[in-house]
Amino acid sequence: MIKRLITGAMIGAALIGSQAALSADFTLRFGHLANEQNIWHQAAEKFKEEVEANSDGRIEVRIYPNEQLGSEMDVINSIQLGTAEMTITGESLQNWAPKAAMMAVPYAFRDAEHLHAAVSGEIGEEIEAQIIERANLVPLAWFERGPRELTSNRRIEHPDDLDGMRLRVPNVPLFVDTWEALGARPTPMAFSEVFTALQQNTIQAQENPLSLIESASFYEVQDYVNLTGHVRSWIYVVIGRNTLESMPDDLQQVVFDAAAVMQEYQAELFDEDQQRLEQALTDRGMEFVEVDIEAFAEKARPAVLEALDDEQRALFDAIQDL
């Protein structure tokens, strides 16, 4: 008898849960590339919690980490086709909105404060407006990304110290041109090959955010983190414009409010994680080296400007004037 009662209660609870899911007026399929431990995923979970709590079950958020819905570009295409609703995306948006290229231009930003001022102000609004118009995606929130830093086995304090250093870069023409202008010998290479290439001295240096320096164990084959901060960037959480506009005003406000909470939550996690990463790499034996940022930026600028079109150059100049 007791067993039948327990079983009945469990079935009843399951039915209530399934009915709640079925009763949602809108389902937001949120796919991204990060794993479950990444702070982007933790921020996405915060968004889900806020939306579902404050929409009285009228919006359900389903999160798909680890590229379960495909690559970044795959999910963007799915949103535009209506088979997904949300993702986290960055400079890939320049395929539609050229102004989004600013999200990965070397030495566009002097420091984190400069980046925040640009993204939160009129420049950010200008970039977002072009994304909405041309990609049909609405940026809901933005996350700061860790700056790209140069690791090596000798101290680099000035561009002159590079002196033909063999440096791995991703296969991005702007990155290749920039490091050539700085005096290095940039070598495009798949990320999966970098550790072995450093170990075998095929290359002498590489550049990446601290998170990837740690996760790829580059501390085992590199002694210094030279704080070049050559790319400071951010990434957007976007939703399909058609999806957002299909919602009544009150539910749109729920989404925007949840996004604001998500952005603030991610910023807190990001600051904590950057401090943790610096300590973890120091504990692993890496030394952090302050560099002459102005000398790097000045020497890189001609190559950067050459790579930008007129519209992008105007935006770059506006950022410098902030």
Side-chain angles (χ1 to χ4, degrees):
M1 180 65 177
I2 293 173
K3 184 177 180 181
R4 285 201 301 272
L5 287 171
I6 293 172
T7 303
M10 291 173 64
I11 292 171
L15 285 172
I16 291 169
S18 63
Q19 287 167 357
L22 289 171
S23 67
D25 297 329
F26 299 92
T27 299
L28 302 180
R29 290 160 292 187
F30 186 169
H32 64 78
L33 56 81
N35 63 34
E36 289 89 341
Q37 288 71 49
N38 191 281
I39 61 175
W40 292 355
H41 181 72
Q42 294 173 42
E45 292 279 8
K46 172 64 75 172
F47 175 80
K48 171 183 170 69
E49 176 187 321
E50 291 288 317
V51 166
E52 293 184 346
N54 294 314
S55 68
D56 296 323
R58 294 164 64 195
I59 305 175
E60 179 190 7
V61 180
R62 299 178 185 172
I63 304 173
Y64 299 89
N66 291 309
E67 296 189 325
Q68 290 177 33
L69 298 185
S71 68
E72 180 182 336
M73 293 296 288
D74 290 336
V75 183
I76 290 173
N77 290 330
S78 294
I79 293 171
Q80 292 170 335
L81 291 170
T83 55
E85 285 73 38
M86 294 181 64
T87 193
I88 303 174
T89 181
E91 59 273 10
S92 297
L93 290 167
Q94 69 185 289
N95 288 294
W96 295 269
K99 291 180 181 180
M102 290 301 108
M103 299 172 74
V105 171
Y107 292 110
F109 302 100
R110 293 182 290 274
D111 49 35
E113 289 74 23
H114 187 200
L115 181 144
H116 281 242
V119 183
S120 299
E122 292 181 3
I123 287 169
E125 290 174 0
E126 189 175 335
I127 294 170
E128 291 175 21
Q130 192 177 71
I131 292 168
I132 294 169
E133 177 189 354
R134 300 192 184 183
N136 213 33
L137 301 170
V138 178
L140 294 174
W142 63 272
F143 301 158
E144 183 178 358
R145 292 193 281 190
R148 298 181 79 91
E149 314 286 11
L150 175 68
T151 69
S152 62
N153 285 325
R154 67 173 190 256
R155 296 173 67 91
I156 304 295
E157 298 176 1
H158 188 276
D160 293 347
D161 298 333
L162 292 168
D163 191 26
M165 175 181 278
R166 296 188 303 277
L167 163 68
R168 180 270 174 181
V169 294
N171 192 17
V172 177
L174 177 54
F175 284 17
V176 174
D177 294 345
T178 298
W179 284 105
E180 281 182 347
L182 287 168
R185 290 169 55 193
T187 303
M189 180 184 297
F191 184 75
S192 59
E193 300 172 9
V194 176
F195 185 94
T196 301
L198 289 168
Q199 197 172 41
Q200 297 175 349
N201 203 36
T202 306
I203 54 173
Q204 301 164 307
Q206 69 83 46
E207 50 81 52
N208 263 301
L210 298 185
S211 57
L212 287 180
I213 293 169
E214 181 196 43
S215 63
S217 303
F218 289 147
Y219 50 79
E220 295 181 7
V221 286
Q222 299 271 264
D223 296 331
Y224 298 101
V225 178
N226 307 285
L227 297 171
T228 49
H230 48 279
V231 176
R232 292 184 177 274
S233 61
W234 73 99
I235 201 159
Y236 284 117
V237 177
V238 298
I239 186 170
R241 183 181 184 179
N242 294 341
T243 295
L244 185 65
E245 292 181 350
S246 72
M247 295 180 175
D249 290 347
D250 63 323
L251 290 188
Q252 289 189 37
Q253 193 60 50
V254 166
V255 169
F256 284 121
D257 291 346
V261 172
M262 170 177 60
Q263 180 171 308
E264 184 176 344
Y265 182 65
Q266 190 276 341
E268 293 172 2
L269 294 178
F270 174 77
D271 289 341
E272 292 170 4
D273 197 48
Q274 288 298 109
Q275 293 175 29
R276 181 197 66 77
L277 286 164
E278 185 166 344
Q279 187 60 54
L281 292 171
T282 300
D283 292 344
R284 294 285 191 169
M286 299 193 85
E287 182 179 337
F288 284 73
V289 179
E290 296 291 339
V291 311
D292 187 341
I293 293 287
E294 288 187 12
F296 272 86
E298 183 177 347
K299 195 166 184 180
R301 186 158 289 121
V304 170
L305 293 176
E306 178 67 25
L308 303 179
D309 63 27
D310 291 345
E311 181 181 51
Q312 293 165 338
R313 190 176 299 186
L315 198 55
F316 181 89
D317 290 341
I319 290 170
Q320 301 313 297
D321 291 340
L322 278 179

